[in-house]
Amino acid sequence: MTVFVAVQTDDFCQASEYDELRRNAGCGAIVTFCGLVRDLQSTTLSGMTLEHYPGMTEKALKDIAYKAKSRWELGAVHIIHRVGYLKPNAQIVFVGVASAHRAAAFSACEFIMDYLKNQAPFWKKEHTTEAEYWVASKDSDKVALARWEH
Amino acid sequence: MTVFVAVQTDDFCQASEYDELRRNAGCGAIVTFCGLVRDLQSTTLSGMTLEHYPGMTEKALKDIAYKAKSRWELGAVHIIHRVGYLKPNAQIVFVGVASAHRAAAFSACEFIMDYLKNQAPFWKKEHTTEAEYWVASKDSDKVALARWEH
Amino acid sequence: MIKVLFFAALRERLHCDQYTAHCATPTTVESLLLHLQQHNEQWQQALSGTELLCAINQTMVSHSAEVVAGDEVAFFPPVTGG
Amino acid sequence: MIKVLFFAALRERLHCDQYTAHCATPTTVESLLLHLQQHNEQWQQALSGTELLCAINQTMVSHSAEVVAGDEVAFFPPVTGG
């Protein structure tokens, strides 16, 4: 299985990742997830800073990819996560999975996002016109992770 | 919610669909599925013909999109299905979902594919170097659909 | 008058895309199938499969559904798109 | 000698990115935390939260994990990436 992991300040190109994933022979199902910076709580979000633990983030993302590989038959997994300052509408994260089976591709992609949300050392600080604050972790992310632990 | 449905002989551009889905304000999660022509059973697949029931296919895909909308909070759903003669590695189907919530985007995208596989009037005929045959429906697709019926 | 459509493997077995049925209406999908089966032995066999799906006016229905004059009724094997 | 790293909200509360702890080894994450809490009252408070996560040499561990000399030990709040 091909595993590609990147942690970067630069934007990524969803189309290039998809084109790479398409090249995996025998994989007729490709599922992608993209997360974007959105203003959900206020109407004043001016941006977001993504802090991370350099070195550990890459390691954590690779671990998660191989954990998915051990559960499903996968041809390729790509994970890209951006760090640094991001404006509203910017892309934050890409997860793409290629598999011979649609159910495996869907499950693995969601599994990777659920693990990433709970175990990869990234932290978001939101900036509004009035203040800046660290985003609180969500119980719903813990619940999402717990579904896979059986 | 934006619903876009197309049944066409022409290829589609995954990147354009993704860019459209990104434009939905408030939707920070985008999940896409692409299905490709693959040679899974033999090594002699020369191509595939997708037959459909014109008129009903568009209607069925729209029905499925609105069914997903009634279950999850979604910003946009795009479904494109190709018909006619397709070569190995060609794109067959695209399903893209934009939502404020990652779990909703994943569930809705998989739900749409499971319904499409069971209820949209498309039929595949595979062409190998020796013969041509209609693809048999899979029990696993019925099982996948049954999961949602509660 | 009922417009009847056939698709995919069924269309090939019957050597027919479209057929106009002149049977008494209202009727049911089941009765319409029995009517069509009388056409010849090949139709009799091809149209008696348990896996045959049916749509009336482009909406999937069960074989007990009612068919009225002017309806478009389609028969086809289990779908395999996606 | 243990290299200790702090991230995100914890880093800001401690006004410290990185700290070199000179405590007896081998030790445990729990004991290391007690050692660090002695630094001052602010550290005492910030490092006694129950939600504090820990990684040794870039792998997540529980607070009962062993720490040996030369380890890189990181403390941070629950992660919020993705």
Side-chain angles (χ1 to χ4, degrees), chain C residues 1-2 4 20-28 31-33 35-36 67 69:
Chain C
M1 210 179 78
I2 301 160
V4 184
T20 304
H22 298 274
C23 57
T25 54
T27 181
T28 64
S31 302
L32 175 61
L33 273 172
H35 173 83
L36 295 169
V67 179

Side-chain angles (χ1 to χ4, degrees), chain C residues 11-45:
Chain C
R11 174 178 58 73
E12 289 188 349
R13 281 187 72 187
L14 301 179
H15 301 287
C16 179
D17 293 30
Q18 187 172 330
Y19 178 84
T20 304
H22 298 274
C23 57
T25 54
T27 181
T28 64
V29 172
E30 266 165 347
S31 302
L32 175 61
L33 273 172
L34 291 174
H35 173 83
L36 295 169
Q37 282 169 22
Q38 290 163 18
H39 194 74
N40 65 33
E41 201 180 330
Q42 190 152 20
W43 282 48
Q44 201 275 322
Q45 281 178 11

Side-chain angles (χ1 to χ4, degrees), chain A residues 51-56 59 81 92-93 113 116-125 134-137 142, chain D residues 5-12 51 53 55-60 72-74 76-82:
Chain A
E51 179 170 332
H52 75 127
Y53 181 174
M56 182 172 167
K59 193 176 167 300
H81 203 298
I92 304 171
V93 60
M113 274 308 301
L116 188 157
K117 282 268 180 187
N118 284 279
Q119 301 196 337
F122 296 96
W123 301 273
K124 281 178 187 148
K125 181 187 254 184
W134 292 98
V135 172
S137 65
K142 283 181 202 153
Chain D
L5 303 174
F6 304 111
F7 289 98
L10 183 64
R11 172 178 58 71
E12 288 187 350
E51 282 224 297
L53 300 181
I56 299 181
N57 301 326
Q58 309 190 348
T59 298
M60 292 266 233
E72 176 177 299
V73 181
F76 42 80
V79 303
T80 56

Side-chain angles (χ1 to χ4, degrees), chain A residues 7 11 32 37 51 64 67 97 102 135 149:
Chain A
V7 177
D11 198 9
T32 72
V37 177
E51 179 170 332
I64 294 168
K67 209 174 276 185
V97 174
R102 146 178 124 260
V135 172
E149 289 174 346

Side-chain angles (χ1 to χ4, degrees), chain B residues 33 35 50-56 59-60 63 81 92-93 113 116-125 132 134-138 142, chain C residues 3-13 17 51 53-61 72-82:
Chain B
F33 175 86
L50 258 295
E51 179 169 330
H52 75 128
Y53 180 175
M56 182 172 166
K59 192 176 169 298
D63 285 352
H81 203 298
I92 305 170
V93 61
M113 275 308 301
L116 187 158
K117 282 269 180 187
N118 284 279
Q119 300 196 339
F122 296 97
W123 301 272
K124 282 179 186 148
K125 180 186 253 186
E132 55 176 47
W134 291 98
V135 172
S137 63
K138 285 189 286 181
K142 282 181 204 154
Chain C
K3 181 179 171 186
V4 184
L5 304 174
F6 305 112
F7 289 98
L10 182 65
R11 174 178 58 73
E12 289 188 349
R13 281 187 72 187
D17 293 30
E51 282 224 298
L53 300 181
C54 180
I56 299 181
N57 301 327
Q58 308 190 347
T59 297
M60 292 266 232
V61 295
E72 176 177 298
V73 181
F75 292 103
F76 42 81
V79 302
T80 57

Side-chain angles (χ1 to χ4, degrees), chain B residues 2-125:
Chain B
T2 313
V3 169
F4 173 79
V5 159
V7 177
Q8 61 191 46
T9 52
D10 289 346
D11 198 7
F12 54 81
C13 175
Q14 201 263 5
S16 308
E17 298 308 314
Y18 171 69
D19 288 342
E20 283 280 336
L21 289 165
R22 266 189 76 174
R23 277 192 209 128
N24 287 270
C27 293
I30 296 169
V31 173
T32 72
F33 175 86
C34 280
L36 312 171
V37 177
R38 293 301 194 192
D39 199 344
L40 296 176
Q41 278 129 40
S42 65
T43 49
T44 57
L45 188 76
S46 54
M48 189 181 270
T49 303
L50 258 295
E51 179 169 330
H52 75 128
Y53 180 175
M56 182 172 166
T57 37
E58 291 84 347
K59 192 176 169 298
L61 297 181
K62 268 184 200 153
D63 285 352
I64 294 167
Y66 283 103
K67 209 175 275 186
K69 189 207 165 189
S70 72
R71 290 179 71 133
W72 296 281
E73 203 186 300
L74 307 177
V77 172
H78 288 210
I79 310 176
I80 304 175
H81 203 298
R82 293 179 69 193
V83 292
Y85 185 79
L86 299 175
K87 287 191 176 166
N89 303 319
Q91 300 185 119
I92 305 170
V93 61
F94 172 86
V95 176
V97 175
S99 173
H101 308 286
R102 144 177 126 261
F106 272 114
S107 295
C109 193
E110 191 166 14
F111 172 95
I112 289 167
M113 275 308 301
D114 288 344
Y115 268 81
L116 187 158
K117 282 269 180 187
N118 284 279
Q119 300 196 339
F122 296 97
W123 301 272
K124 282 179 186 148
K125 180 186 253 186

